[in-house]
Amino acid sequence: MEGVLKSIENVHLTSSVPLNNELGGKTTSKADALRVLMEREGILKEELMACGDNPNDLEMIKLAGIGIAMDNAEDIVKEQADYVTLSNEEDGVAFVIEKFI
């Protein structure tokens, strides 16, 4: 099914959990939303930190100056991140905010 969905033009396909497909317009990813905010607020890539744990966070993590994966993240997310923090259950986001900000 994923192959069929990926073949549809002008659709953004991602997932937040296994066996779940999220479809949106070509410019409806988290990274696209951040690009709009960055442009509007004058924020540089180097000033952006993004945290995530699932494939639907990959574009956002790659966009950020510091891309953070949670320790409970899927391996593909950890591989693309600049840094792996503690898990969601261990307040990993708070930890990296204190560490980098």
Side-chain angles (χ1 to χ4, degrees):
M1 179 62 129
E2 186 176 326
V4 171
L5 295 173
K6 283 184 176 180
S7 70
I8 300 172
E9 289 186 37
N10 297 318
V11 170
H12 181 260
L13 176 67
T14 189
S15 178
S16 57
V17 294
L19 303 176
N20 173 60
N21 291 304
E22 298 171 8
L23 293 170
K26 206 57 164 165
T27 59
T28 58
S29 73
K30 293 177 183 183
D32 290 324
L34 284 174
R35 282 186 195 95
V36 170
L37 289 171
M38 290 166 66
E39 184 176 326
R40 182 172 26 188
E41 300 299 323
I43 298 169
L44 302 174
K45 174 182 175 168
E46 296 78 23
E47 299 172 312
L48 179 67
M49 181 174 73
C51 302
D53 58 359
N54 286 301
N56 67 339
D57 299 318
L58 277 173
E59 287 185 54
M60 174 182 69
I61 287 170
K62 289 188 230 177
L63 170 67
I66 302 174
I68 309 290
M70 310 307 291
D71 189 51
N72 57 287
E74 293 188 30
D75 288 341
I76 191 168
V77 178
K78 290 179 182 179
E79 292 165 6
Q80 297 292 321
D82 300 306
Y83 184 83
V84 177
T85 187
L86 303 172
S87 73
N88 292 338
E89 293 78 24
E90 299 170 296
D91 298 324
V93 173
F95 178 83
V96 291
I97 289 172
E98 290 178 5
K99 179 175 180 63
F100 292 108
I101 309 289

